Amino acid sequence: MAAPGQNNTILSVVVMTMADTQKPNSLRKVVNKCNSFILPGSTRPGCLVFYVNSVAVGLIRQDILKQLKAYPDVFILNDKEKGDQGQPRGLHLSQDLDTFEKRTKKIEQVLRSLQQKDALVSLRGWRDECYSISTGFGVEPLLKVERAAACLFGVSQYGVHVNGYVVDDFGDILMWIGQRSRTKQTYPNMWDNLCAGGLSSGLGVEECAIKEAQEEADISEEHLENLQAVGCISYMYEDERGIFPECQFVFDLQLPDDFIPRNTDGEMQDFKLLPVNKLRELILNEDFKPNCALVIVDFLIRHGILTPDNEPDYTYLVEMMHISHRSYITDPATVATAQ
Amino acid sequence: MAAPGQNNTILSVVVMTMADTQKPNSLRKVVNKCNSFILPGSTRPGCLVFYVNSVAVGLIRQDILKQLKAYPDVFILNDKEKGDQGQPRGLHLSQDLDTFEKRTKKIEQVLRSLQQKDALVSLRGWRDECYSISTGFGVEPLLKVERAAACLFGVSQYGVHVNGYVVDDFGDILMWIGQRSRTKQTYPNMWDNLCAGGLSSGLGVEECAIKEAQEEADISEEHLENLQAVGCISYMYEDERGIFPECQFVFDLQLPDDFIPRNTDGEMQDFKLLPVNKLRELILNEDFKPNCALVIVDFLIRHGILTPDNEPDYTYLVEMMHISHRSYITDPATVATAQ
């Protein structure tokens, strides 16, 4: 871990207001990266809506559809405008699976079968951790699936991220960031927030943030009294594994000067305390895991470091960090709908 | 002006975590009201894209189109899939108007003519204040129009809102709100933020917030040193006047205990300092101007008073306060596009 000198800190706000905010290598690139699925060139136009119990819950890509077609008793394909039973166009989980338990069990069987065939790269990362599937956060889940498989069905995934920060004697903000372990399955060695994690089925949101803070950065109960929910960010990207509509609940945690994080679960290899202008450099150099960069951009906006007067893409950044998954999942041809 | 006793204040957080967050009269209603244009039942399906210089900048409703058709040398209607000159379907401002000045002048002539006919209710509220029209905030404007007419073209309008608040000895937050004057053209007598205003053509965002704070609440330069940009909210509604894609830049301003606002421009008739739970009641009773209610919901989320664990509509509220106007204006049939 390394702490910067006070001199660097004083420079931070000045640097932020300079012309470098207009460089082609802009923060716009970061929010676009996290929204690759909804931007031109994505696989979106070819995707099918995934229905469970006649409710749209996700999106299925053609490469993944090809694999799921091998299980026609589980996944019913309606590729006409109206299917045989008057159902909308899309991939429907069999109506015979009429309870949470039946759906969960049958999908797990299919996924284990696909894993044995090594048909889908995402299943190489099986975690034995389950995510709930429903039509929105807090809505009664229809089933749960293995975390590594959520991207196959393009269903919303939820997580928590904690911004740990210190305010120095000059009133300037320094932020604690963590470097992901070399052996992490995803984004090894990249920079991350102080602590973060996926929201597993059944856990409260603050409860999850506290658990991650204790495991990933050894933060004491006393320090966690300052933990504050400050909003959520949402975006949609895709990669070779599948489609990721993600929503991260964000927490701010002001820490005392003398606090030093310590990783206890092997997920982080290092921590650094950096002034905000240094964070911006790391973000633009793409040294951060992309969604962690987004969490920091949101922090810089909420704390008045990026402003409408010094950041030309201000409104674009804010909008693209708060995408409505429902509007893309429910009906790709219209936009938001009331729930 | 009235200040509450400390006893009320202590109750606030407790009240927020009670079951009343689940009442049918929920905050969801507030964000939906501000997004009436994008929800089912709106006039959106019948609207035409408004093009200036072949760029989509707004949306035209059928009732307004009917009036604009009386000026066929200014507004060229392409109601086929591709128009005569290969232009997309929509209403095009004449290409003969090839400079900012020509467009501004010609549109003003049309608007004055429509005003004389008393053909459009929105023009009764002529303000002699101009708004810029472009494809996004900070993008070179193509023309400017009278503020009261912006809703006729469904173009994005920008403003500033300031949350003035006090933190009491218990660490609880109380917020200053203002009651709009009886004689205000829009939303008379309703509750508002401490100060707010439209962003006129040519003014900086913070500059505008400072101006409104001085005029509407007599806030001194010393107190304004705490003014902090904290983000923006965006939404789209419609009413009898037209379509309002609005984006409000939000500022927080922590004030000392002994500060008392004083209106100097006749726009406010009263001010009150209220604990957060009282604000929620006023919001649910629809005593607030709707977009000011949204600014407060955003404040309650950023300050950890509404949380993912106590507000069932948390993610929905956040998404619906950060709508991308561009995705609705550029192409109603797809969603967000890269800029």
Side-chain angles (χ1 to χ4, degrees):
Chain A
M1 95 94 202
Q6 298 288 17
N7 287 341
N8 287 339
T9 316
I10 299 169
L11 274 172
S12 64
V13 175
V14 179
V15 173
M16 297 295 297
T17 60
M18 302 289 281
D20 73 349
T21 58
Q22 318 235 9
K23 284 192 303 195
N25 192 9
S26 71
L27 294 174
R28 177 177 284 251
K29 201 169 147 190
V30 178
V31 300
N32 285 352
K33 192 165 196 170
C34 289
N35 281 301
S36 59
F37 182 71
I38 63 168
L39 293 172
S42 82
T43 65
R44 189 162 73 90
C47 288
L48 281 179
V49 177
F50 178 48
Y51 291 92
V52 175
N53 206 20
S54 299
V55 177
V57 296
L59 291 162
I60 311 278
R61 214 159 61 181
Q62 289 294 328
D63 56 325
I64 291 152
L65 179 65
K66 214 167 126 186
Q67 298 299 329
L68 299 181
K69 273 180 176 170
Y71 308 87
D73 55 325
V74 181
F75 300 104
I76 321 295
L77 177 63
N78 281 340
D79 52 8
K80 287 163 283 181
E81 213 39 62
K82 286 277 174 191
D84 294 337
Q85 296 145 29
Q87 284 177 326
R89 181 173 175 273
L91 191 71
H92 294 255
L93 190 66
S94 167
Q95 299 274 11
D96 296 341
L97 305 169
D98 56 3
T99 66
F100 177 93
E101 288 71 23
K102 284 186 205 168
R103 294 179 200 118
T104 300
K105 196 175 159 193
K106 180 58 86 178
I107 291 264
E108 196 186 338
Q109 285 170 5
V110 168
L111 293 171
R112 286 292 186 192
S113 153
L114 284 164
Q115 193 193 23
Q116 282 185 333
K117 293 186 210 170
D118 196 24
L120 292 163
V121 62
S122 70
L123 297 181
R124 291 181 197 160
W126 198 285
R127 296 195 186 208
D128 282 319
E129 186 185 335
C130 276
Y131 277 8
S132 297
I133 296 186
S134 74
T135 56
F137 184 72
V139 179
E140 192 70 27
L142 293 158
L143 73 158
K144 59 181 183 177
V145 297
E146 156 59 28
R147 176 172 174 172
C151 63
L152 300 178
F153 303 105
V155 295
S156 293
Q157 302 188 35
Y158 299 88
V160 297
H161 283 247
V162 179
N163 293 302
Y165 70 100
V166 172
V167 179
D168 71 17
D169 296 342
F170 300 91
D172 288 320
I173 295 172
L174 295 94
M175 189 182 269
W176 279 106
I177 57 171
Q179 190 174 20
R180 296 165 69 86
S181 153
R182 275 167 210 93
T183 57
K184 269 278 224 192
Q185 233 172 51
T186 54
Y187 308 99
N189 293 316
M190 295 191 89
W191 289 99
D192 201 322
N193 302 115
L194 177 57
C195 39
L199 190 60
S200 304
S201 180
L203 214 58
V205 180
E206 192 180 68
E207 194 183 357
C208 178
I210 289 172
K211 182 179 139 279
E212 295 292 345
Q214 289 170 336
E215 289 174 7
E216 289 195 352
D218 196 25
I219 304 176
S220 68
E221 274 185 36
E222 188 197 335
H223 289 153
L224 283 171
E225 278 174 21
N226 285 335
L227 190 72
Q228 183 172 294
V230 292
C232 55
I233 60 167
S234 50
Y235 49 89
M236 289 176 91
Y237 69 93
E238 64 175 338
D239 64 20
E240 71 286 2
R241 294 170 295 166
I243 303 165
F244 295 80
E246 290 187 347
C247 173
Q248 308 296 347
F249 295 103
V250 181
F251 291 79
D252 279 2
L253 176 60
Q254 189 174 344
L255 292 158
D257 283 357
D258 59 355
F259 166 81
I260 292 174
R262 190 176 64 90
N263 180 246
T264 63
D265 64 1
E267 301 218 350
M268 295 287 191
Q269 57 174 290
D270 194 14
F271 290 102
K272 272 195 166 61
L273 181 67
L274 293 182
V276 282
N277 64 322
K278 290 285 172 197
L279 289 173
R280 200 163 184 284
E281 275 171 37
L282 288 180
I283 290 173
L284 292 176
N285 287 340
E286 305 187 47
D287 292 331
F288 267 100
K289 178 168 177 262
N291 67 347
C292 302
L294 232 58
V295 172
I296 293 177
V297 170
D298 172 66
F299 180 93
L300 297 177
I301 287 173
R302 286 185 295 99
H303 288 264
I305 293 153
L306 291 174
T307 75
D309 295 309
N310 74 16
E311 171 51 55
D313 292 325
Y314 195 80
T315 60
Y316 183 78
L317 299 178
V318 173
E319 287 164 10
M320 293 293 271
M321 289 193 294
H322 299 99
I323 291 300
S324 162
H325 299 165
R326 295 297 313 149
S327 64
Y328 290 88
I329 289 173
T330 309
D331 182 355
T334 60
V335 192
T337 53
Q339 289 177 33
Chain B
M1 95 91 202
Q6 298 287 18
N7 287 341
N8 288 337
T9 317
I10 299 168
L11 277 171
S12 64
V13 175
V14 179
V15 173
M16 297 296 295
T17 59
M18 302 288 283
D20 74 349
T21 58
Q22 315 235 13
K23 283 193 303 196
N25 191 9
S26 72
L27 294 174
R28 178 177 283 250
K29 201 168 146 190
V30 177
V31 300
N32 284 352
K33 193 165 195 168
C34 289
N35 281 302
S36 58
F37 183 72
I38 62 168
L39 293 172
S42 82
T43 65
R44 189 162 72 91
C47 288
L48 282 179
V49 176
F50 179 47
Y51 290 92
V52 176
N53 206 19
S54 299
V55 177
V57 297
L59 291 162
I60 311 278
R61 214 158 60 181
Q62 289 294 328
D63 57 326
I64 291 153
L65 179 65
K66 213 167 126 186
Q67 298 299 329
L68 299 181
K69 274 181 177 169
Y71 308 88
D73 56 324
V74 182
F75 300 104
I76 322 296
L77 178 63
N78 281 341
D79 52 9
K80 287 163 284 181
E81 213 40 61
K82 284 278 173 189
D84 295 338
Q85 295 145 29
Q87 284 177 325
R89 183 172 174 274
L91 191 71
H92 293 255
L93 189 67
S94 167
Q95 299 274 11
D96 295 342
L97 305 170
D98 56 3
T99 66
F100 177 93
E101 289 72 23
K102 284 187 205 168
R103 293 179 198 118
T104 300
K105 198 176 158 191
K106 182 56 88 180
I107 291 265
E108 196 187 339
Q109 284 171 5
V110 169
L111 293 172
R112 286 293 186 191
S113 153
L114 285 164
Q115 193 193 22
Q116 282 186 331
K117 294 186 208 169
D118 196 23
L120 292 163
V121 62
S122 71
L123 297 180
R124 292 182 196 158
W126 198 284
R127 297 193 185 208
D128 283 319
E129 187 184 335
C130 277
Y131 277 9
S132 298
I133 296 185
S134 74
T135 55
F137 184 73
V139 179
E140 191 71 27
L142 293 159
L143 73 158
K144 58 180 183 178
V145 298
E146 156 60 27
R147 176 172 173 173
C151 63
L152 301 178
F153 303 106
V155 295
S156 292
Q157 301 188 35
Y158 299 87
V160 297
H161 283 247
V162 179
N163 293 303
Y165 69 100
V166 173
V167 180
D168 71 16
D169 296 343
F170 300 91
D172 288 321
I173 296 173
L174 295 93
M175 189 182 270
W176 278 106
I177 57 171
Q179 190 174 20
R180 296 165 70 86
S181 154
R182 277 167 209 91
T183 57
K184 268 280 223 191
Q185 236 172 51
T186 54
Y187 309 98
N189 293 316
M190 295 191 89
W191 289 100
D192 201 322
N193 303 115
L194 177 58
C195 39
L199 190 61
S200 304
S201 180
L203 213 59
V205 180
E206 192 179 68
E207 195 183 357
C208 178
I210 290 172
K211 183 179 139 278
E212 296 292 345
Q214 289 170 337
E215 288 174 7
E216 290 195 353
D218 196 25
I219 303 175
S220 68
E221 274 184 36
E222 187 197 337
H223 289 153
L224 284 170
E225 278 173 21
N226 286 334
L227 190 72
Q228 184 171 294
V230 292
C232 55
I233 60 167
S234 51
Y235 49 89
M236 290 176 91
Y237 68 95
E238 64 174 338
D239 63 21
E240 71 287 2
R241 295 169 295 165
I243 302 165
F244 295 81
E246 290 188 347
C247 174
Q248 308 296 346
F249 296 103
V250 181
F251 290 80
D252 279 2
L253 176 60
Q254 188 172 347
L255 291 159
D257 284 356
D258 59 355
F259 167 80
I260 292 176
R262 189 176 64 89
N263 181 246
T264 64
D265 65 1
E267 302 216 351
M268 294 285 193
Q269 58 174 291
D270 193 14
F271 290 102
K272 272 193 166 63
L273 181 66
L274 294 181
V276 283
N277 64 321
K278 291 283 172 199
L279 289 173
R280 200 162 183 284
E281 276 171 36
L282 288 178
I283 290 172
L284 291 177
N285 287 340
E286 303 187 48
D287 292 331
F288 266 100
K289 176 168 178 262
N291 68 347
C292 302
L294 233 58
V295 172
I296 293 178
V297 170
D298 172 66
F299 181 92
L300 297 177
I301 287 172
R302 286 186 293 100
H303 288 264
I305 294 154
L306 291 173
T307 75
D309 293 310
N310 74 16
E311 171 50 56
D313 292 325
Y314 194 81
T315 60
Y316 183 78
L317 298 178
V318 173
E319 286 164 11
M320 292 294 271
M321 291 195 291
H322 299 99
I323 291 300
S324 162
H325 299 165
R326 295 296 312 149
S327 64
Y328 291 87
I329 289 172
T330 309
D331 182 354
T334 61
V335 193
T337 52
Q339 288 176 35

